[in-house]
Amino acid sequence: MLIKIIDPTAAREHEVTPQALYLDRRRLMASTARSMIAAGVSGVSGLMSSMAFAAKAYEKVPKGSPFDTNEALTPFKDVTSYNNFYEFGTDKGDPKINSGSLKPRPWKITVDGEVEKPTSFDIDDFIKTQKLEERIYRLRCVEAWSMVIPWIGFPLADVIKAARPTRKAKFVAFTTLLDPVQMPGQKSKILDWPYTEGLRLDEASHPLAFLAVGLYGDMLPNQSGAPLRLVVPWKYGFKSIKSIVKITFTSTQPKTTWNIMAPDEYGFYSNVNPNVDHPRWSQGKERRIGELFKRKTLMFNGYDQVASLYTGLDLKKNF
Ligand SMILES: Nc1nc2c(c(=O)[nH]1)N[C@H]1C(S)=C(S)[C@@H](COP(=O)(O)O)O[C@H]1N2
Ligand SMILES: [Mo]
């Protein structure tokens, strides 16, 4: 979130990434070995079919959602090497380099607060119960860059329905893992750890709000927020909290990390809004990662279907 001069050459090296490069070799080999043991596979043809089976975790998820954009995808390499994840450093290249210490399995997620069904579950058990889908969303970062990413996940609304919020529930708060050993950036006081975010309950229930467990057909890489991260495509990137361990329903507006850090710069709503300047820069234009020229930023990042959530709200005051 610090001011950065974007190097226009940085993200344009490989417009096309061969399929094979999508794979994290070590994870591929480990999961191949596991599936071979599980299936009692032996021999070369067994190996080949196990490799094919293990290639991408979510290959079979149906593609083509009513929420998709038909804009060109941001190459996998850029999606996973130009990140904000302060738990692993403040440079855009840091999360890819430093996030190997994060152990996204086993992983427990707690749902609590103003709900009739507080619960906690293991990420893999949980994924099995979800109907996964692929959605291509534009993700917009506050520093005027954006990406188009094929996410795999499920609507946040499904979790909300299952939790059965009480009548007192008005907001949903999210919390990232707190563990300075796995997340060495938490040893410095650069942010108020653990990272937290929040949405109004009606925003969180909107069909566009999404919990991602993968991208480009495979599991989320650590730097992208493994094993579970929020995607709120009509808001600035920092609302899309990574590596979530807790979802809490509250009656009052929850504190959010960037708002605590700089309340004049980062509000609770954080809707993409070209008409409201950030105190230190214009928000009228953005660079799609991989493109040379800037484009006009659209209100709500182009997702007009959320506009009615904000009827009567002064979006200059509630930035
Ligand atoms: N836990 C956590 N979540 C986080 C952040 C962070 O530092 N820590 N950075 C946010 C910011 S500022 C942005 S722009 C997006 C970046 O997501 P991406 O790296 O997948 O593009 O993640 C958001 N989620
Ligand atoms: Mo951001």
Side-chain angles (χ1 to χ4, degrees), residues 57-78:
Y58 302 123
E59 221 153 24
K60 296 207 172 75
V61 168
K63 295 179 197 302
S65 142
F67 302 96
D68 287 353
T69 162
N70 52 19
E71 292 166 84
L73 298 181
T74 303
F76 176 87
K77 182 180 176 289
D78 296 335

Side-chain angles (χ1 to χ4, degrees), residues 1 84 140-143 145 236-238 258:
M1 310 295 295
N84 267 344
R140 173 67 165 66
C141 190
V142 75
E143 296 99 314
W145 48 270
Y236 291 114
F238 61 93
W258 284 102

Side-chain angles (χ1 to χ4, degrees), residues 1 4 81-84 90-96 143 145:
M1 310 295 295
K4 281 269 160 66
S81 61
Y82 193 81
N83 300 98
N84 267 344
T90 57
D91 279 351
K92 303 280 187 279
D94 285 344
K96 181 181 174 162
E143 296 99 314
W145 48 270

Side-chain angles (χ1 to χ4, degrees), residues 16-313:
V16 180
T17 308
Q19 290 276 108
L21 294 184
Y22 292 173
L23 304 174
D24 169 338
R25 286 233 152 84
R26 268 172 309 177
R27 195 178 63 214
L28 170 65
M29 287 168 73
S31 62
T32 302
R34 273 199 304 277
S35 53
M36 283 180 71
I37 290 162
V41 179
S42 64
V44 173
S45 64
L47 176 67
M48 297 302 283
S49 59
S50 298
M51 294 273 285
F53 172 74
K56 283 191 183 183
Y58 302 123
E59 221 153 24
K60 296 207 172 75
V61 168
K63 295 179 197 302
S65 142
F67 302 96
D68 287 353
T69 162
N70 52 19
E71 292 166 84
L73 298 181
T74 303
F76 176 87
K77 182 180 176 289
D78 296 335
V79 172
T80 55
S81 61
Y82 193 81
N83 300 98
N84 267 344
F85 201 167
Y86 275 33
E87 285 84 342
F88 300 105
T90 57
D91 279 351
K92 303 280 187 279
D94 285 344
K96 181 181 174 162
I97 297 166
N98 299 332
S99 61
S101 48
L102 175 65
K103 301 270 167 291
R105 295 292 188 290
W107 191 276
K108 221 179 72 176
I109 294 145
T110 301
V111 179
D112 63 6
E114 290 294 344
V115 289
E116 283 168 27
K117 285 220 134 207
T119 151
S120 89
F121 41 75
D122 170 81
I123 183 72
D124 287 320
D125 294 342
F126 182 56
I127 287 172
K128 270 185 233 149
T129 66
Q130 299 301 315
K131 222 172 112 216
L132 294 181
E133 48 178 300
E134 184 184 68
R135 292 183 182 186
I136 302 171
Y137 282 131
R138 293 179 215 100
L139 189 62
R140 173 67 165 66
C141 190
V142 75
E143 296 99 314
W145 48 270
S146 58
M147 300 195 190
V148 180
I149 304 172
W151 298 100
I152 308 278
F154 47 88
L156 172 58
D158 291 355
V159 175
I160 297 174
K161 264 180 239 143
R164 291 206 255 124
T166 68
R167 250 176 302 168
K168 284 193 198 152
K170 296 283 181 287
F171 296 88
V172 189
F174 303 85
T175 310
T176 292
L177 177 71
L178 178 64
D179 181 347
V181 175
Q182 291 189 60
M183 297 181 146
Q186 292 177 338
K187 288 175 192 155
S188 102
K189 292 265 180 283
I190 181 153
L191 290 177
D192 196 32
W193 311 113
Y195 194 102
T196 62
E197 257 305 338
L199 295 170
R200 232 170 45 193
L201 184 58
D202 60 336
E203 298 179 304
S205 306
H206 193 279
L208 275 174
F210 198 62
L211 281 169
V213 296
L215 53 78
Y216 268 101
D218 211 342
M219 293 163 94
L220 282 182
N222 287 355
Q223 63 270 33
S224 302
L228 183 75
R229 67 86 62 75
L230 188 63
V231 177
V232 196
W234 70 96
K235 292 180 182 273
Y236 291 114
F238 61 93
K239 295 304 272 189
S240 293
I241 180 172
K242 297 176 168 182
S243 304
I244 297 168
V245 291
K246 200 150 70 89
I247 301 176
T248 307
F249 292 73
T250 64
S251 55
T252 53
Q253 186 174 301
K255 290 198 161 130
T256 62
T257 295
W258 284 102
N259 184 251
I260 295 168
M261 149 97 177
D264 301 336
E265 303 195 10
Y266 309 109
F268 177 78
Y269 281 92
S270 314
N271 289 317
V272 172
N273 189 344
N275 309 317
V276 176
D277 286 348
H278 183 278
R280 290 184 280 139
W281 56 75
S282 156
Q283 302 195 123
K285 285 188 174 173
E286 73 198 64
R287 189 187 309 284
R288 183 66 48 82
I289 294 296
E291 291 180 0
L292 183 55
F293 297 105
K294 288 193 174 182
R295 56 173 72 208
K296 269 196 179 153
T297 288
L298 302 173
M299 188 69 201
F300 303 121
N301 205 14
Y303 294 100
D304 298 329
Q305 59 267 60
V306 297
S308 62
L309 290 172
Y310 308 105
T311 311
L313 191 72

